[in-house]
């Protein structure tokens, strides 16, 4: 009888010890699982942090709606972006990515940053200024293409004709005639020198599909009334003649 009692006591003690061991094992597993979850969470946070740092903006771009603009972007010569560099190979890859995904991930800051894209105009923030590409449709099926490299020393404007295959250089004067010189009342030496002084103050807006607006923020009516008819000039696109015609000149309050 005593032997049976001793056996039962040993069995009970062994059972308690086993339960405690299993509890310790389970607790250890739980701790390990919690640590694993915490580590994974921290890792995910790190990945998200890296992604947020690396990719600044996701720019939605409807490729079908902007196809012509993007196709022309691929074939522009270097002279159209003289103050900065975006190689033809890089532009090709960019357009191919947009064609496939209808968006663009901008991972750069203060360089080659697409600010906006419309059916006829693309605007890009570059290192030293701003760059635009505008495409204007003509009745013949051709397009006038205008790039404007806007930097500290003025506007570097290039004009082309695109027929769907070839992009041919065309002189600015062939499209706009005398351009900003239409603003002058007279071609006197005094007025020509004054125009030269204000040359860098002109802003060009090619974003409208029909009208180009050129405004000087430096020419003031009170000071320049003797030489200038106004400080703003607008040209309207004649899609049949394939030129811009003078629309109006007026004073814009700066």
């Amino acid at each position: 009888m005593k032997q049976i009692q001793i056996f039962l006591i040993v069995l009970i003690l062994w059972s308690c010890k086993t339960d405690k061991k299993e509890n310790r094992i389970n607790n250890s597993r739980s701790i390990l699982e919690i640590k694993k979850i915490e580590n994974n969470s921290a890792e995910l946070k790190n990945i998200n942090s890296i992604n947020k740092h690396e990719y600044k903006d996701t720019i939605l771009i409807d490729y079908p709606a902007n196809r012509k603009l993007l196709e022309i972007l691929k074939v522009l010569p270097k002279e159209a972006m003289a103050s900065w560099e975006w190689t033809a190979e890089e532009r090709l890859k960019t357009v191919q990515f947009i064609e496939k995904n209808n968006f663009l991930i901008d991972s750069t800051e203060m360089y080659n940053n697409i600010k906006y894209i419309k059916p006829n105009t693309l605007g890009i923030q570059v290192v030293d200024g701003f760059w635009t590409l505008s495409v204007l449709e003509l009745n013949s099926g051709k397009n006038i293409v205008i790039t404007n490299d806007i930097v500290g020393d003025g506007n570097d404007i290039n004009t082309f004709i695109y027929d769907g295959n070839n992009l041919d250089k065309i002189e600015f004067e062939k499209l706009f005639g005398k351009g900003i010189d239409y603003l002058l009342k007279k071609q006197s030496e005094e007025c020509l020198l004054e125009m030269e002084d204000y040359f860098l103050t002109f802003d060009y807006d090619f974003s409208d599909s029909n009208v180009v607006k050129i405004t000087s923020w430096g020419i003031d009516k009170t000071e320049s009334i003797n030489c200038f008819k106004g400080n703003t000039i607008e040209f309207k696109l004649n899609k049949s003649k394939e030129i811009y015609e003078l629309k109006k000149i007026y004073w814009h309050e700066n």
Side-chain angles (χ1 to χ4, degrees):
M1 185 69 178
K2 285 184 179 180
Q3 289 178 344
I4 293 173
Q5 288 177 342
I6 292 170
F7 175 76
L8 289 173
I9 291 169
V10 171
L11 182 63
I12 292 168
L13 290 172
W14 181 84
S15 177
C16 291
K17 187 176 181 180
T18 301
D19 288 343
K20 288 180 180 179
K21 184 177 181 181
E22 287 180 355
N23 286 337
R24 283 199 302 271
I25 291 171
N26 289 334
N27 287 338
S28 297
R29 285 176 179 171
S30 298
I31 291 168
L32 287 172
E33 287 174 359
I34 290 169
K35 285 184 177 179
K36 186 176 181 181
I37 291 169
E38 288 176 347
N39 288 337
N40 287 340
S41 178
E43 187 175 345
L44 285 172
K45 286 180 180 178
N46 287 335
I47 291 171
N48 289 334
S49 177
I50 291 169
N51 286 339
K52 285 178 182 177
H53 177 73
E54 185 176 356
Y55 301 118
K56 300 292 182 183
D57 294 298
T58 299
I59 305 164
L60 298 178
I61 299 174
D62 186 345
Y63 177 80
N66 299 284
R67 181 173 182 173
K68 186 175 292 183
L69 188 70
L70 294 168
E71 289 300 308
I72 292 172
L73 178 64
K74 295 191 299 185
V75 298
L76 286 172
K78 286 184 178 180
E79 65 189 86
M81 44 192 76
S83 73
W84 57 297
E85 184 178 2
W86 194 11
T87 66
E89 182 181 359
E90 290 170 340
R91 282 180 271 138
L92 175 61
K93 289 180 180 178
T94 298
V95 173
Q96 287 175 337
F97 184 90
I98 295 170
E99 182 178 6
K100 182 179 179 181
N101 300 286
N102 282 306
F103 70 87
L104 182 66
I105 297 174
D106 175 36
S107 60
T108 58
E109 187 173 5
M110 298 299 293
Y111 180 76
N112 195 5
N113 183 11
I114 294 178
K115 285 297 185 181
Y116 61 82
I117 183 167
K118 305 173 184 178
N120 72 304
T121 299
L122 169 70
I124 298 179
Q125 182 78 50
V126 295
V127 177
D128 296 321
F130 202 80
W131 183 85
T132 62
L133 164 65
S134 299
V135 178
L136 303 314
E137 293 185 4
L138 302 171
N139 290 344
S140 63
K142 296 180 181 179
N143 295 270
I144 292 174
V145 177
I146 304 174
T147 63
N148 188 10
D149 197 0
I150 309 163
V151 291
D153 56 352
N155 300 270
D156 182 17
I157 299 170
N158 286 275
T159 48
F160 308 88
I161 293 291
Y162 180 67
D163 64 3
N165 295 304
N166 300 310
L167 186 70
D168 298 317
K169 178 77 174 177
I170 185 173
E171 294 301 319
F172 182 87
E173 291 76 16
K174 189 170 182 180
L175 292 176
F176 293 93
K178 294 191 295 182
I180 57 176
D181 283 347
Y182 283 119
L183 292 172
L184 289 171
K185 285 184 175 180
K186 47 192 174 183
Q187 297 287 321
S188 67
E189 183 179 357
E190 177 189 355
C191 291
L192 289 173
L193 286 173
E194 194 169 342
M195 171 63 86
E196 188 176 332
D197 289 338
Y198 289 121
F199 186 74
L200 298 181
T201 69
F202 284 95
D203 291 328
Y204 293 75
D205 184 359
F206 300 107
S207 63
D208 190 274
S209 59
N210 292 299
V211 176
V212 166
K213 182 179 178 181
I214 307 171
T215 303
S216 168
W217 48 264
I219 300 174
D220 180 74
K221 184 177 182 179
T222 305
E223 298 177 356
S224 304
I225 191 68
N226 291 330
C227 283
F228 290 88
K229 304 171 188 175
N231 59 6
T232 302
I233 185 169
E234 291 185 6
F235 293 90
K236 186 174 182 180
L237 179 60
N238 187 320
K239 297 186 178 184
S240 297
K241 293 182 179 180
E242 301 186 355
I243 60 171
Y244 278 91
E245 297 175 333
L246 179 62
K247 181 184 178 185
K248 62 179 177 178
I249 294 172
Y250 56 95
W251 289 101
H252 174 79
E253 186 175 348
N254 292 320

